Amino acid sequence: MSIPTLDSTLQKVCEYNPDIDTGLVRKVYDFCVKIHKDQIYQPGISHLQHLLEVVEILVQLKVDETTLLLGLLHDVPDVAEAAAVELENEFGENLAELVKIGHRISQIPYRKSTQQQVENFRKMFIAMARDLRVVLVCLADRLCAMRNLHHLEPDKQMHMARETLEIYAPLANRLGISWLKGELEDLALRYLEKEKYQELASRISSQKEERDRYVGQVKAEIRALLKENSVVGEVTGRSKHLYSVFKKMERTGADLEQIYDLTAFRILVESVAECYAVLGLIHATWKPIPGRFKDYIAMPKSNLYQSLHTTVIGPFGARMEVQIRTHEMHRIAEEGVAAHWKYKESGAVSATGRDDQRFSWLRQLLEWQQDVSLSQDLSTSGLVDLFPEEVYVFTPGGDVKELPRGATAVDFAYAIHSDVGNQCVGARINGKHCQLRTELQNGDIVEIQTQASHRPSKDWLAFAKTSKARNKIRQFVKAEQREKSLELGRELFEKELRKYQYSVKRAQALEGFKRGVTELGFKELDDVLAAIGYGKLTVGQLVAHVLPKDATRGDASPKVNPLRKVLGKIGGKKRSTSAVRIDGIDDVMVRFANCCNPLPGEDVIGFITRGHGLSVHSVDCSQVQASDPDRLIRVEWDMNKATNRPIKIRVFCNDQKGMLVAISGAITDADANIVSASVHSTADRRGMNLFEVDVVNLDHLNRVIREIKKIRGVYRVERLRL
């Protein structure tokens, strides 16, 4: 194979697209010379030669100008970040973005697993690409790599060949690029089944002279038949590629000598009527084999493929496969975006109507690119999201998980296992620590961090997308609320019984206890106690139904708010110095909730816990809104008491010299004390800093944030609520 040059490549491009901007192509090539000079692609092959070989393959596909430029530039991100920045400055954001997408696809790990995993990987590949031209460049790059695979170590050869056979060849098949698919499959077979490949290639090669003579004679007879009947047609004979023969031998168990249709003959005519006329001539001349005739003209395949297929006992008594179609049908079959995977890759697989629409659109896009000269303006109109409803992400082990669009790290955790979801405390996405509410993108590698003692939060329902995650969270929250309500109900029941000199055990031993529970509409005592804890039933109603009438008759004890009793129980243990007043009660143990970490100046509300006093929350705290309303009590700040409250703030900024000193100085200038600090920088020269500071009230916190925002290079400051 001759080494391609830029001039020879441009000459071929101008044959199908005379309006191409050759000056721009040369400018991009000069940029690549500067970026990739002295770089070696593989032993004996420079990187520039590799780029030109990729472009040569793209020229065979008759791609547009932007795709050719993308083929030249696709390896720039591998050189240096500065080179990628220079690319964007030189040739625009649209082209640079396509290069970045292609590079990200090349970095995704692949690990063979189940058929569903392989299919998800293919879908993710296309979904990530979003632009058909990125897919075409990836295919051309892979074909170039496979042609030079002999330079690599055996284990890398096997891995790349397997990946090619399971991902890239089927993608070429989906796009209807049959010649590219066939070459990828043959090259992959060469490394995956070396001995069988060499034996098969040797046996077929040994028969080449005889087969060429046979093909020539049969073509001559068909041409004579057409001429005799005044039909103008083009006759060709083609050998099936090795992988196709190998799969047929594997599928049928037949030896090569028993496979008679190694060569297929194709007849191209002008009209549909001539197709059927030629079919009649073939069947009249040679005996057709029953069950081997297929009419894809009257009944096209779902990918718009049309042709007549028949197998006959041809000259010399050998089976002969004949395909008859019009020139237009042949163009669509060979060059159009045809979804062959629907019927060929996995048997009788039918696509959904949604898939039909997607591939119909994709088919049109490729035809447009072949028919007209496209400019870089197509960088926006060429965008396509083939699987808009899904997102495909990786586990650290390389498995692909399919999730709905908008899914978060929590959804991913529950997709792994319910226990992983219940215990997840954080996530690492592409190696970076992220919040559980972070939306996942195609190709993300997600690692879930768990803690055995951790439990789901009802807050997760605000961003969980999958039904599995939402159902598991609801189940856990409901069970947890029942447990807490059961404890509160039991405590109130025990306390009420003591007024009548009864214990729970003694009350349960009464003859009418079970009947009383049933009369209230419950089966078990725990159900009644949970209802009391929820506030759906009063403890007095339960006592009235389960204790004897004479035990409760004449009781004149005043009705006291149960929450007041609980407050009285926990009061006196610790004098409140929390700057909080509780409906005129001062002597109560108070703690501030970590979930919302309220500050003086914010509207707050109290929640009575069991054994831990009063928990103070912001009124808009989601945990309070989901809690039992009967356990809430009005509280307010005592503004006469000044106390420092620790608050966490996160500062997003540029990673530059002196930034940490400037932020620390701003906090000090706002009269706040830094309790702790955590500094983290990312690969893209960004900084994420976490500070815990003491503030007096909400106004004080806002002043701290304002001072930090004044610093040059700080672009976001946010308060953290755990």
Side-chain angles (χ1 to χ4, degrees):
M1 181 183 296
S2 61
I3 299 176
T5 64
L6 181 63
D7 288 335
S8 64
T9 299
L10 284 175
Q11 185 177 353
K12 294 176 183 177
V13 175
C14 290
E15 291 176 4
Y16 72 86
N17 183 9
D19 297 325
I20 188 170
D21 186 349
T22 56
L24 178 60
V25 177
R26 291 185 184 278
K27 182 179 179 182
V28 170
Y29 180 75
D30 291 340
F31 175 79
C32 293
V33 171
K34 181 179 69 172
I35 295 297
H36 296 290
K37 67 177 180 179
D38 302 328
Q39 284 188 354
I40 300 299
Y41 177 69
Q42 285 177 5
I45 303 174
S46 69
H47 211 98
L48 287 171
Q49 180 181 335
H50 161 68
L51 297 179
L52 287 173
E53 288 178 356
V54 169
V55 172
E56 277 281 303
I57 296 169
L58 293 172
V59 170
Q60 288 182 257
L61 299 174
K62 298 181 180 179
V63 298
D64 69 304
E65 180 182 288
T66 300
T67 312
L68 292 176
L69 300 181
L70 184 58
L72 286 171
L73 295 166
H74 73 275
D75 281 337
V76 168
D78 285 330
V79 178
E81 183 179 343
V85 173
E86 187 178 354
L87 186 159
E88 182 173 343
N89 293 335
E90 285 284 337
F91 305 108
E93 182 179 351
N94 290 333
L95 189 58
E97 182 61 24
L98 291 179
V99 173
K100 289 178 185 177
I101 292 172
H103 180 258
R104 189 179 179 206
I105 290 174
S106 69
Q107 302 301 307
I108 58 180
Y110 173 72
R111 181 172 68 87
K112 175 178 170 55
S113 186
T114 63
Q115 178 61 33
Q116 183 60 49
Q117 283 289 314
V118 173
E119 180 58 25
N120 281 347
F121 190 98
R122 294 173 188 162
K123 288 182 178 180
M124 185 203 61
F125 186 108
I126 300 176
M128 282 181 66
R130 295 180 60 240
D131 191 303
L132 174 61
R133 293 167 298 187
V134 175
V135 179
L136 295 178
V137 172
C138 287
L139 288 173
D141 183 48
R142 176 50 58 112
L143 178 56
C144 182
M146 290 299 294
R147 287 173 176 175
N148 296 285
L149 197 58
H150 55 279
H151 293 293
L152 301 183
E153 297 84 355
D155 58 333
K156 291 184 178 179
Q157 291 176 344
M158 292 290 288
H159 177 81
M160 186 171 286
R162 173 63 60 190
E163 186 179 49
T164 297
L165 194 61
E166 294 183 344
I167 302 301
Y168 289 88
L171 286 176
N173 200 24
R174 292 187 184 193
L175 298 180
I177 313 172
S178 56
W179 66 267
L180 198 154
K181 165 187 172 289
E183 186 173 350
L184 286 175
E185 288 177 337
D186 283 356
L187 289 169
L189 181 65
R190 180 178 177 180
Y191 295 96
L192 292 174
E193 299 285 353
K194 288 187 177 181
E195 293 183 1
K196 293 181 180 179
Y197 174 88
Q198 291 172 357
E199 179 187 359
L200 187 60
S202 176
R203 291 177 65 183
I204 290 178
S205 177
S206 66
Q207 302 171 1
K208 184 178 185 304
E209 185 176 338
E210 179 183 346
R211 189 169 62 253
D212 288 347
R213 185 167 54 251
Y214 165 77
V215 169
Q217 291 176 346
V218 172
K219 284 165 60 176
E221 289 193 31
I222 295 176
R223 285 171 182 151
L225 180 65
L226 296 179
K227 184 176 182 180
E228 182 182 339
N229 290 273
S230 302
V231 177
V232 178
E234 179 183 334
V235 183
T236 58
R238 61 177 182 87
S239 297
K240 293 188 175 181
H241 63 281
L242 289 177
Y243 183 77
S244 178
V245 176
F246 170 78
K247 292 300 288 186
K248 187 165 187 176
M249 292 173 60
E250 192 178 62
R251 185 173 62 253
T252 62
D255 187 70
L256 181 65
E257 303 296 336
Q258 298 172 292
I259 297 179
Y260 301 102
D261 55 350
L262 288 177
T263 304
F265 294 90
R266 183 174 295 135
I267 304 172
L268 304 181
V269 292
E270 292 300 324
S271 67
V272 172
E274 287 180 320
C275 288
Y276 288 101
V278 170
L279 176 68
L281 293 175
I282 296 294
H283 281 182
T285 306
W286 295 291
K287 183 179 180 180
I289 297 176
R292 297 290 296 172
F293 168 65
K294 294 185 177 71
D295 186 348
Y296 293 120
I297 292 180
M299 294 176 289
K301 293 181 179 180
S302 58
N303 58 15
L304 302 186
Y305 175 89
Q306 289 183 290
S307 184
L308 297 176
H309 290 194
T310 187
T311 303
V312 299
I313 303 296
F316 318 110
R319 288 190 179 194
M320 179 175 75
E321 181 184 334
V322 181
Q323 298 175 358
I324 308 167
R325 63 181 70 147
T326 67
H327 290 280
E328 177 62 18
M329 292 175 189
H330 181 63
R331 187 187 71 82
I332 293 174
E334 292 297 306
E335 300 178 6
V337 181
H340 288 293
W341 62 282
K342 292 182 182 178
Y343 63 90
K344 197 167 184 180
E345 283 177 22
S346 54
V349 178
S350 61
T352 64
R354 190 175 61 186
D355 282 335
D356 283 333
Q357 293 174 1
R358 291 170 181 157
F359 286 101
S360 174
W361 193 96
L362 192 57
R363 191 159 44 240
Q364 294 173 23
L365 181 59
L366 186 60
E367 290 175 357
W368 292 338
Q369 291 188 182
Q370 292 175 337
D371 292 342
V372 299
S373 172
L374 299 178
S375 68
Q376 291 195 35
D377 292 338
L378 192 64
S379 293
T380 54
S381 62
L383 294 176
V384 51
D385 199 348
L386 291 176
F387 301 93
E389 296 87 0
E390 295 92 24
V391 61
Y392 300 89
V393 294
F394 286 103
T395 67
D399 288 334
V400 181
K401 293 295 180 182
E402 177 182 353
L403 297 169
R405 181 72 67 183
T408 63
V410 161
D411 297 298
F412 179 86
Y414 279 102
I416 300 298
H417 195 278
S418 297
D419 289 342
V420 175
N422 288 338
Q423 298 173 9
C424 66
V425 294
R428 288 173 61 89
I429 301 177
N430 302 323
K432 299 178 182 179
H433 289 283
C434 298
Q435 294 181 345
L436 291 174
R437 64 172 61 246
T438 303
E439 284 193 14
L440 303 178
Q441 305 298 321
N442 281 307
D444 281 345
I445 302 174
V446 186
E447 179 183 356
I448 298 298
Q449 299 163 323
T450 61
Q451 187 175 321
S453 60
H454 194 263
R455 295 295 179 264
S457 167
K458 189 173 182 178
D459 293 346
W460 293 359
L461 291 172
F463 50 82
K465 289 292 186 294
T466 61
S467 57
K468 178 179 181 180
R470 296 180 67 82
N471 289 337
K472 291 295 182 182
I473 296 168
R474 286 194 187 102
Q475 288 175 13
F476 191 90
V477 170
K478 186 176 181 180
E480 188 177 46
Q481 287 180 341
R482 175 182 166 81
E483 183 179 342
K484 292 180 179 179
S485 298
L486 181 60
E487 289 181 7
L488 180 61
R490 185 177 297 279
E491 179 183 354
L492 294 174
F493 184 47
E494 290 174 347
K495 195 167 186 179
E496 187 70 10
L497 286 176
R498 283 198 294 270
K499 291 165 48 178
Y500 306 102
Q501 288 76 50
Y502 273 87
S503 65
V504 174
K505 185 176 182 180
R506 181 186 171 197
Q508 285 182 291
L510 293 171
E511 183 178 347
F513 188 88
K514 288 186 177 180
R515 184 177 66 252
V517 170
T518 305
E519 288 174 354
L520 288 170
F522 298 92
K523 293 182 179 179
E524 303 290 338
L525 174 60
D526 282 356
D527 297 333
V528 187
L529 298 179
I532 293 172
Y534 277 125
K536 298 178 180 178
L537 188 74
T538 67
V539 69
Q541 289 174 294
L542 175 59
V543 169
H545 277 76
V546 300
L547 292 187
K549 298 297 182 183
D550 56 351
T552 57
R553 187 179 299 117
D555 175 47
S557 58
K559 293 184 178 181
V560 181
N561 185 338
L563 294 180
R564 289 288 182 186
K565 292 184 177 182
V566 176
L567 283 173
K569 181 178 180 180
I570 62 178
K573 295 181 179 179
K574 180 180 178 182
R575 187 73 181 176
S576 173
T577 59
S578 60
V580 173
R581 289 198 299 266
I582 309 163
D583 266 351
I585 301 175
D586 294 324
D587 199 11
V588 176
M589 183 170 60
V590 173
R591 64 186 180 91
F592 294 94
N594 288 329
C595 54
C596 55
N597 205 4
L599 281 175
E602 294 181 302
D603 293 334
V604 289
I605 194 167
F607 179 79
I608 298 178
T609 66
R610 186 174 183 272
H612 297 288
L614 185 77
S615 178
V616 178
H617 296 254
S618 297
V619 293
D620 57 354
C621 175
S622 57
Q623 287 199 15
V624 165
Q625 293 173 356
S627 63
D628 180 3
D630 290 338
R631 299 173 67 181
L632 300 177
I633 191 167
R634 179 175 169 272
V635 298
E636 61 183 21
W637 295 102
D638 185 351
M639 302 309 288
N640 294 324
K641 294 183 179 179
T643 59
N644 285 327
R645 299 277 300 123
I647 294 294
K648 289 184 178 180
I649 55 175
R650 185 157 46 199
V651 181
F652 296 89
C653 61
N654 295 327
D655 184 10
Q656 60 192 42
K657 187 180 295 185
M659 180 58 72
L660 183 58
V661 174
I663 296 174
S664 302
I667 295 174
T668 303
D669 290 343
D671 298 325
N673 179 50
I674 299 176
V675 178
S676 65
S678 174
V679 180
H680 176 70
S681 60
T682 61
D684 58 352
R685 299 189 62 80
R686 301 279 181 162
M688 185 184 74
N689 308 313
L690 183 65
F691 294 91
E692 184 175 1
V693 298
D694 281 340
V695 296
V696 177
N697 52 36
L698 183 61
D699 290 339
H700 191 191
L701 174 62
N702 290 335
R703 182 152 60 96
V704 171
I705 293 175
R706 283 196 303 271
E707 290 296 324
I708 296 175
K709 285 183 175 180
K710 293 178 183 178
I711 300 172
R712 185 180 181 87
V714 172
Y715 53 88
R716 191 162 90 247
V717 183
E718 61 185 22
R719 172 185 176 184
L720 287 187
R721 297 180 187 269
L722 300 181

